[in-house]
């Protein structure tokens, strides 16, 4: 599978970006609570999905200027993992995502990773089974040279890794993950809200 969307898919995404940029964005009730901090208009576009077999040690990273907003996994270490990436528009501008920085490796069966306050997840690498190693790629979002603020970090309820699926809520991005045990063990995800 190609790491990048097809020309048709990219054209559709860019067309959507153009249409969304031209449309007025109204603040939701949840967004209103952060309006004192920022009046930025934010749009999260679910732009890219890729399925991989993680146990082979392939390092996954989102395409240029995209960030992780979700992950799903089915089966044991030889099962399929799906990653969901998104473009972030702030005041009609595509947010720039810095070059990724990789964390150190940790044992998957007792792993916990939470990105720094101003960082988002953009990739992950895992090899082997639950005794194998996992690491994460983080990056910073910015618009016109100004760092994008994240707030309201939250962890999801735990779910069984072998049948897990999680996606960010409205105006959220993924910033962390925790897993314990094998494929029947529990996985949780951490998300943070984009402020602008």
């Amino acid at each position: 599978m190609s790491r990048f969307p097809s020309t048709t898919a990219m054209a559709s995404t860019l067309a959507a970006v153009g249409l969304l940029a031209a449309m007025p964005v109204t603040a939701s009730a949840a967004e209103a609570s952060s309006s004192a901090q920022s009046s930025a208009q934010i749009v999260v576009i679910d732009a890219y999905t890729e399925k991989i077999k993680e146990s082979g040690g392939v390092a996954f990273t989102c395409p240029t200027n995209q960030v992780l907003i979700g992950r799903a996994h089915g089966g044991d270490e030889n099962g399929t993992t799906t990653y969901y990436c998104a473009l972030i528009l702030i005041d009609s501008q595509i947010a720039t995502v810095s070059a990724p920085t990789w964390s150190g490796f940790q044992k998957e069966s007792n792993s916990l990773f939470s990105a720094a306050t101003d960082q988002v997840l953009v990739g992950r690498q895992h090899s082997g089974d639950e005794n194998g190693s996992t690491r994460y790629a983080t990056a910073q979002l910015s618009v016109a040279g100004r760092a994008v603020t994240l707030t309201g970090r939250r962890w999801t309820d735990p779910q069984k890794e072998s049948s897990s699926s999680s996606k960010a809520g409205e105006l959220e991005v993924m910033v962390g993950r925790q897993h314990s045990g094998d494929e029947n063990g529990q996985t949780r995800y951490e998300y943070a809200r984009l402020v602008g």
Side-chain angles (χ1 to χ4, degrees), residues 1-17 45-49 66 87:
M1 171 178 237
S2 171
R3 277 222 28 15
F4 300 99
S6 67
T7 304
T8 303
M10 184 55 81
S12 297
T13 299
L14 292 176
V17 169
I45 301 172
D46 196 335
Y48 182 75
T49 300
Q66 294 190 36
L87 285 165

Side-chain angles (χ1 to χ4, degrees), residues 45-64:
I45 301 172
D46 196 335
Y48 182 75
T49 300
E50 184 173 336
K51 295 177 184 288
I52 66 170
K53 179 181 171 182
E54 288 186 314
S55 61
V58 175
F60 171 82
T61 52
C62 289
T64 302

